[in-house]
Amino acid sequence: MTPAPIDTAAEPGRFINRELSWLEFNSRVLAQAEDPTVPLLERVKFCAIWYSNLDEFFQVRVAGLKDQVAGQFTGTTPDGRTAAQQLHDIRAEVDAQHDRVAACLGGLTDRMAETGIEILHWDDLGDEDRKFLSGEFDNRIYPVLTPLAVDLGHPFPYISNLSLSLGVLMIDPADGHQRFARLKVPATFGRFLQLPDEHRFVPVEQVVAAQLPTLFPGMEISETVAFRVTRNADLAVDEGEAQDLLAAVEVELRRRRFRSVVRLEVEHQVSSEIRNLLIDELDIGRDDVYEVDTLLELSSLWELFEVDRPDLKNPAWQSVNPLPRPAAGDQPLDLFARIREGDILLHHPYDSFTATVQEFIWQAANDPRVLAIKLTLYRTSGDSPIVRSLIRAAESGKQVAVVVELKARFDEEANIEWARRLEQAGVHVAYGLVGLKVHAKTCLVVREEADGVRRYCHIGTGNYNSLTARVYTDLGLLTADPEVGVDLTQLFNSLTGYGRNIEYRHLVPAPQNLRPTLLRLIRNEADRGAEGRIVMKMNSLADPEMVEALYEASQAGVDIELIVRAICCLRPGVAGMSDTIKVRSLIGRYLEHSRIYYFANGEGIGAPAYYIGSADLMPRNLNRRIEALVAVVDPDLRRQLDHMLEINLQDDALAWELRADGTWQRVAKGAGVEAHTAFERLAASG
C-alpha cells in the first residue's frame, strides 16, 4: 500500500524534512544548469554534479530509509514522517527533477551543437563515422567485453554498484527460444568515444550495442536496453567489537560490494520483459525502478566539460598568494617568522592553498628546527603533496603523528592506503576514537627556537586536499598563539592517547564542548533581545535542539541571518516562531564549504564572538564526530570575517532564500553583487 504524503500546506510545522531539504538543495544545483546566463559548459557540468549528488543520496540516505522499512522501524522524523512516507515523497521529487534534467539536456545538446560540440546517436552517423567507431570497437573494446548469458546453467550475474550495463534479449534460431544476456559496458574507455574531428562524441554503449551480432553470432537480437544499478554503500563497522579497526573497515568494504540494490535506472523504452526480469533478479520493488529519458550516468558529462573550449566556461581563476613575496634573489618567505608577527586568515580558493597551507607543512617537514608535526587527515588528494611532506618529515627523524579517519565515506580505501604508507615511513598513525569520526581540520607544528619551544597551528574548515581547495570555499587560521597551541596539543593527545574533561581556551571541540558552547552563545543573544544578533554560515542545519534554540532567540527579538548551502530543517519567517530569522543559500561556481559563527554579544560581556571550523549544525557533527571550532580574536581578522559575511548577505546573483512554506526562491536582483566574483577581486587587489 502506498503511504499518503504529508500535507504541510495548511500547518507548516516546526521542522522541514531533512531528506526533502537536501533534494531542494540538489534542485538549486540543477537550476544552475537551467540558467541561460551561466556559460554553456558550466551548465553541462552542473548536470553532472546534480547526478553525482543524487548517486550518493541513494547510496546512503535512501538506503538507510529502506533499511528502516525492512526493519519495521516505526519512529518518525522531527517533521512527523515515517521512513515509508519519506521514500514516497522522495520518489515524487526525484521524478520531477528527472523531468527537468531531461528538458534541460535537450536544450543544452542543441546549444552545444551550435557551438561545434555534438553528442550523436549511432543511428545519426554516416558510413565513415561508423567505420571508424567499428574499428575502435574491434581493436580496443571487443577484447575486454564479457557477455554473460542468463539461463539454467548461467545464474544471473552480480551487477556492481553504479556500473553501466546492457540487457540484451535475443532469439536462438535453432529452437526459437528467447535468451537474455547481460553485458557490462567497460569504464576503461570513458563514457564517450570521440570521432576523429575531436568535437563529436558518441556514447560508448551505443557503439557496443551496434556490434552485438559480433558478440552473439548467429542470434537474432530483439531488444537492447541500457541499465544501471545503485547499491547500499553505507559502511557499517562495529567498532566496539573490532580488534583492528583498519582490518574491520577493509572487511566491510569487501562486503559493501554485495549490499542490497536500492535503485535501478533503465532507459525509458525498456520492455516489460526486461524490466520484470531485472526486478525479480535484483530483488527490488517497482518503486525502485527509474525509467529515464536521458543518457544514464550523467556524471560522465564531466568528460564534455573537459573539452578545450574556454569561451564556453567561466574565466579561469588563478589563486593569489596573500603573503608577502620576497624580492628577486631573496630566500623564500619564512612562514614561521610571518606567523609570529600575527595571525593569518586564509580564504580559499581565492587565497592559494599551495602557497600557504601546503607550503606551511612543506617548510615544517624540511626545517631542522621543527621537532614534531601532528595532523588530522579526513580526505586528501590522490597524489597528496601534504602526505609526501609528512613522510619526508618522518624519514628525517621528526616526530610525526597523523590521525587518519578510515571511515570517511567513499574515501575509505584511499585513506587505508595512505595510513599504510605513512606507517611504513615511521609516522605514528592513529584512527581516532571508537564510535566517532575525526572530521576536524587541524595541524600542529612544534619548533625549537632561540627563546624556547613554540607551537604553530593551522585550524581550518576544509580538508587538506589541494584539489578540492581549488573549488571549495574554505577558511583557515594560521597562528602561533600559545593558548591555541596548548589547546591543539591537548586535542591531539586525546586523539592519540586518553583524556577526559579537558579544559580548552580558544578551541571548541565536539562532541564534548561544541553543543553546550553554541547553545550558551545563542541564549546569551536571546537575553539581549532586540540588541542580539546572530550570523551563521554553514553547510547544513538539521539538529533539532539547535533549531529550537534559534526559534527561542527569534521569539526574544534577536536578528538572525543564516547562510546555509544545503540542508536546512529550520523554517524561517513563521509568525510567532521565527519572525526574525532569514535563511539564504549561495550556489555558484565554487562549492560553499566554510563555516563561520558570529554572536554580537559573545559570552554575555558585550564583546562579539567569532568562530570558524569544521562543524555544521547536524546531529552527526555535534554528537558523533571530532570537530574543532576556533575563536578568532585578532581585530583585523574579525573585520575580514565581517566583510565576508557582509558580501554573502548582500549577494543577489547566486543567492536563494528559504520561505516559510519550505520552498526556495532566487533572491530579487538589486545591486548586482556576486559573491564569488567579489572575493576574486578582493584577493587580486591584495
Side-chain angles (χ1 to χ4, degrees):
M1 179 177 177
T2 301
I6 290 178
D7 180 10
T8 59
E11 177 54 53
R14 299 180 72 80
F15 295 92
I16 296 170
N17 180 263
R18 181 198 194 282
E19 316 305 344
L20 298 183
S21 180
W22 184 90
L23 284 171
E24 282 281 352
F25 156 66
N26 215 29
S27 174
R28 298 194 295 279
V29 172
L30 180 54
Q32 290 295 106
E34 297 168 321
D35 186 348
T37 67
V38 174
L40 182 58
L41 286 182
E42 300 288 344
R43 296 174 66 187
V44 173
K45 178 187 73 175
F46 277 110
C47 286
I49 294 171
W50 170 84
Y51 192 84
S52 296
N53 289 348
L54 202 59
D55 274 350
E56 183 170 341
F57 180 72
F58 271 88
Q59 289 175 91
V60 179
R61 302 304 305 180
V62 171
L65 291 171
K66 285 183 172 294
D67 284 346
Q68 289 183 28
V69 172
Q72 299 183 328
F73 177 74
T74 58
T76 60
T77 54
D79 63 292
R81 284 175 167 83
T82 64
Q85 287 169 326
Q86 291 178 84
L87 289 171
H88 177 273
D89 294 341
I90 286 168
R91 173 75 204 220
E93 177 59 27
V94 171
D95 281 343
Q97 291 189 23
H98 269 297
D99 290 342
R100 286 171 56 194
V101 82
C104 177
L105 273 174
L108 291 179
T109 302
D110 292 341
R111 288 283 311 280
M112 284 192 292
E114 293 170 5
T115 65
I117 303 172
E118 295 184 82
I119 304 175
L120 299 174
H121 193 281
W122 176 268
D123 294 341
D124 300 326
L125 299 177
D127 291 341
E128 285 300 313
D129 290 332
R130 290 188 178 190
K131 181 179 178 181
F132 170 79
L133 291 174
S134 296
E136 289 288 287
F137 176 85
D138 291 339
N139 296 327
R140 301 173 61 212
I141 301 174
Y142 177 70
V144 303
L145 293 176
T146 304
L148 297 173
V150 178
D151 55 30
L152 291 176
H154 302 85
F156 192 84
Y158 164 76
I159 311 291
S160 55
N161 187 34
L162 303 183
S163 62
L164 185 63
S165 299
L166 290 178
V168 186
L169 276 181
M170 64 198 83
I171 303 295
D172 187 344
D175 56 17
H177 289 168
Q178 184 168 263
R179 314 289 188 195
F180 177 81
R182 178 256 181 163
L183 191 63
K184 182 175 181 178
V185 178
T188 315
F189 309 105
R191 185 68 173 74
F192 300 96
L193 294 180
Q194 198 171 24
L195 289 164
D197 53 24
E198 298 185 349
H199 68 260
R200 292 181 301 147
F201 301 84
V202 180
V204 66
E205 73 272 18
Q206 294 181 13
V207 177
V208 174
Q211 309 298 323
L212 289 178
T214 304
L215 290 155
F216 303 101
M219 307 296 284
E220 298 174 3
I221 309 298
S222 57
E223 182 183 357
T224 307
V225 66
F227 68 93
R228 186 172 182 262
V229 159
T230 306
R231 293 183 179 274
N232 182 332
D234 208 9
L235 205 65
V237 178
D238 187 348
E239 296 179 51
E241 296 296 323
Q243 299 297 311
D244 182 332
L245 183 57
L246 188 148
V249 171
E250 286 187 306
V251 168
E252 184 58 27
L253 286 173
R254 289 193 290 271
R255 289 176 180 165
R256 185 165 73 179
R257 296 179 59 242
F258 301 98
R259 300 284 289 276
S260 60
V261 174
V262 297
R263 177 180 59 165
L264 168 65
E265 297 168 279
V266 64
E267 291 178 311
H268 68 94
Q269 72 268 26
V270 62
S271 68
S272 59
E273 285 182 273
I274 290 185
R275 185 198 306 110
N276 293 338
L277 183 148
L278 292 174
I279 288 173
D280 291 342
E281 294 292 350
L282 296 172
D283 192 23
I284 58 176
R286 293 188 178 278
D287 283 345
D288 301 322
V289 181
Y290 288 80
E291 297 182 22
V292 299
D293 292 330
T294 63
L295 289 172
L296 300 183
E297 198 182 3
L298 291 181
S299 52
S300 60
L301 292 174
W302 275 105
E303 294 179 28
L304 298 182
F305 179 76
E306 297 301 327
V307 173
D308 186 18
R309 288 293 300 273
D311 57 311
L312 302 178
K313 304 177 186 179
N314 287 319
W317 166 251
Q318 184 64 46
S319 297
V320 174
N321 183 353
L323 304 176
R325 298 180 183 179
D330 290 352
Q331 293 295 316
L333 175 70
D334 182 344
L335 266 175
F336 299 110
R338 171 59 188 86
I339 296 169
R340 284 197 302 273
E341 294 174 3
D343 292 355
I344 302 168
L345 184 66
L346 304 171
H347 193 193
H348 310 298
Y350 315 106
D351 295 334
S352 169
F353 181 85
T354 301
T356 54
V357 178
Q358 197 167 294
E359 178 70 11
F360 170 64
I361 297 170
W362 185 88
Q363 288 193 18
N366 289 277
D367 188 333
R369 288 171 290 181
V370 167
L371 305 175
I373 304 172
K374 302 182 181 185
L375 183 135
T376 54
L377 193 67
Y378 190 73
R379 301 187 197 276
T380 191
S381 53
D383 182 24
S384 173
I386 286 177
V387 173
R388 290 202 304 269
S389 290
L390 296 172
I391 290 173
R392 177 180 176 85
E395 290 174 344
S396 66
K398 293 176 171 56
Q399 291 292 311
V400 181
V402 178
V403 182
V404 178
E405 180 46 69
L406 296 180
K407 304 181 298 300
R409 187 176 292 134
F410 303 122
D411 279 308
E412 301 96 342
E413 292 180 63
N415 284 4
I416 287 172
E417 178 62 25
W418 283 125
R420 288 203 167 110
R421 289 179 60 180
L422 287 164
E423 285 181 326
Q424 289 168 2
V427 173
H428 300 294
V429 177
Y431 306 129
L433 304 179
V434 173
L436 299 173
K437 277 189 178 182
V438 180
H439 191 249
K441 327 296 185 185
T442 55
C443 179
L444 174 68
V445 173
V446 182
R447 190 171 187 260
E448 189 168 34
E449 298 179 352
D451 55 350
V453 171
R454 192 184 304 270
R455 285 172 273 209
Y456 296 85
C457 309
H458 175 264
I459 301 165
T461 68
N463 295 305
Y464 291 107
N465 186 321
S466 57
L467 297 180
T468 56
R470 300 172 191 169
V471 291
Y472 287 21
T473 73
D474 273 306
L475 295 170
L477 177 70
L478 286 169
T479 181
D481 184 318
E483 292 190 345
V484 176
V486 170
D487 282 355
L488 206 49
T489 300
Q490 291 180 315
L491 178 65
F492 274 106
N493 287 347
S494 72
L495 293 176
T496 59
Y498 298 106
R500 295 186 184 276
N501 303 318
I502 301 169
E503 292 188 8
Y504 295 93
R505 298 166 177 82
H506 293 282
L507 211 62
V508 184
Q512 60 269 45
N513 292 11
L514 185 55
R515 181 185 292 277
T517 298
L518 290 178
L519 288 173
R520 184 176 67 250
L521 288 164
I522 292 170
R523 288 163 183 160
N524 284 342
E525 297 302 316
D527 290 342
R528 295 301 184 101
E531 295 180 2
R533 185 165 189 254
I534 297 171
V535 184
M536 296 180 174
K537 181 180 185 295
M538 68 197 88
N539 290 324
S540 293
L541 167 60
D543 185 79
E545 187 176 20
M546 289 294 166
V547 170
E548 290 290 0
L550 290 168
Y551 284 158
E552 291 172 10
S554 176
Q555 291 159 28
V558 177
D559 177 39
I560 302 172
E561 297 192 269
L562 306 176
I563 306 160
V564 185
R565 173 176 58 86
I567 299 165
C568 182
C569 296
L570 178 147
R571 197 180 291 276
V574 177
M577 183 175 80
S578 56
D579 308 66
T580 65
I581 303 178
K582 296 178 182 177
V583 181
R584 58 169 38 213
S585 172
L586 271 61
I587 306 291
R589 75 186 76 174
Y590 302 125
L591 184 142
E592 291 293 334
H593 195 251
S594 59
R595 290 90 165 184
I596 307 172
Y597 297 94
Y598 165 82
F599 304 90
N601 297 283
E603 294 284 357
I605 58 175
Y610 298 75
Y611 293 89
I612 66 169
S614 61
D616 295 311
L617 300 190
M618 305 275 281
R620 67 187 186 194
N621 302 102
L622 298 166
N623 302 336
R624 303 189 297 276
R625 287 185 174 185
I626 303 295
E627 305 277 8
L629 299 187
V630 65
V632 178
V633 297
D634 182 278
D636 289 337
L637 303 193
R638 289 182 165 202
R639 281 190 286 272
Q640 289 182 44
L641 289 174
D642 282 335
H643 196 198
M644 290 177 195
L645 291 173
E646 181 182 2
I647 289 174
N648 275 275
L649 293 171
Q650 289 177 345
D651 183 291
D652 57 7
L654 308 177
W656 297 69
E657 59 186 1
L658 178 59
R659 299 187 292 189
D661 64 359
T663 61
W664 291 82
Q665 67 177 9
R666 287 189 183 273
V667 169
K669 299 292 183 183
V673 177
E674 202 266 46
H676 295 168
T677 301
F679 287 127
E680 286 178 350
R681 289 172 180 163
L682 277 174
S685 66

